[in-house]
Amino acid sequence: IAGITQAPTSQILAAGRRMTLRCTQDMRHNAMYWYRQDLGLGLRLIHYSNTAGTTGKGEVPDGYSVSRANTDDFPLTLASAVPSQTSVYFCASSEQAGVPYNEQFFGPGTRLTVL
Amino acid sequence: AQSVTQLDSQVPVFEEAPVELRCNYSSSVSVYLFWYVQYPNQGLQLLLKYLSGSTLVKGINGFEAEFNKSQTSFHLRKPSVHISDTAEYFCAVTPLGSYIPTFGRGTSLIVHP
């Protein structure tokens, strides 16, 4: 069982370029999330999705967009990357939306550097 | 709104010594509490969680945490650490009525031989 896969593992990107980070889960979880992790700031939620076809904004959504066409995939797009988006990005999922005691399952992360 | 404070950004300790990683939270409603561990270059994984019942919760790898409602704390403990416990530890809370957790900023546990 793979759980959550993310691609690419790492990427160096020129400022102004468009980039899509991929996330796929095989657990049939309804809820999915994108976080960024920055030193000293912990994890901050970018966007989330309760179920296929719905998305919501998290704490730091500006400059990012997501889509949820099906249960398994939850890509994160940077339309025009800026250096402040240099970070490690984690995709996560949980079994059901609306259930506060469900744990989250995390992917291995994508390390993105914007120059 | 809820918040999570991990009081120590870094905790150095020698192998086989006990350790406590502190977590305090604030919330106007009841919460569910979690500890996650992140090993180097990996994603987070669940260590343990408190939902209800006994305030002492046991998790994987010999870790345990105690929920103290009056002090709004959920400190993580291990009586004897190993080199392999070196990792980043995150406390998280999910308030009743929500399902999206708020994470603390993390505590880096560094175990020295």
Side-chain angles (χ1 to χ4, degrees), chain B residues 84-98:
Chain B
S84 59
D85 292 322
T86 294
E88 192 83 13
Y89 292 80
F90 291 92
C91 181
V93 301
T94 306
L96 200 63
S98 175

Side-chain angles (χ1 to χ4, degrees), chain B residues 26-75:
Chain B
S26 67
S27 177
S28 56
V29 300
S30 296
V31 297
Y32 298 95
L33 298 150
F34 305 80
W35 275 99
Y36 287 84
V37 60
Q38 182 183 31
Y39 298 107
N41 299 312
Q42 295 184 27
L44 283 70
Q45 58 184 276
L46 184 71
L47 261 183
L48 50 79
K49 61 183 177 182
Y50 173 77
L51 306 182
S52 64
S54 172
T55 57
L56 184 63
V57 181
K58 294 190 182 298
I60 62 171
N61 301 337
F63 283 92
E64 62 182 30
E66 185 157 20
F67 170 54
N68 187 318
K69 187 175 182 179
S70 62
Q71 297 186 6
T72 60
S73 67
F74 191 53
H75 300 334

Side-chain angles (χ1 to χ4, degrees), chain A residues 31 33 35 37 40-43 45 48-50 90 96-104 106-108 111, chain B residues 32 34 36 38 41-46 49 51 88 90 94-101 103-106:
Chain A
Y33 316 81
Y35 292 92
Q37 183 180 28
L41 297 178
L43 288 168
L45 182 67
Y48 64 94
S49 170
N50 292 340
F90 288 99
Q96 292 171 276
V99 178
Y101 48 81
N102 275 172
E103 68 179 276
Q104 291 190 331
F106 286 80
R111 185 174 297 275
Chain B
Y32 298 95
F34 305 80
Y36 287 84
Q38 182 183 31
N41 299 312
Q42 295 184 27
L44 283 70
Q45 58 184 276
L46 184 71
K49 61 183 177 182
L51 306 182
E88 192 83 13
F90 291 92
T94 306
L96 200 63
S98 175
Y99 67 96
I100 298 177
F103 286 86
R105 295 189 174 189

Side-chain angles (χ1 to χ4, degrees), chain A residues 5-8 19-24 34 73-76 91 110:
Chain A
T5 57
Q6 292 185 236
M19 175 74 191
T20 295
L21 308 185
R22 299 184 298 279
C23 173
T24 300
W34 272 107
D73 301 300
F74 191 43
L76 176 74
C91 181
T110 293

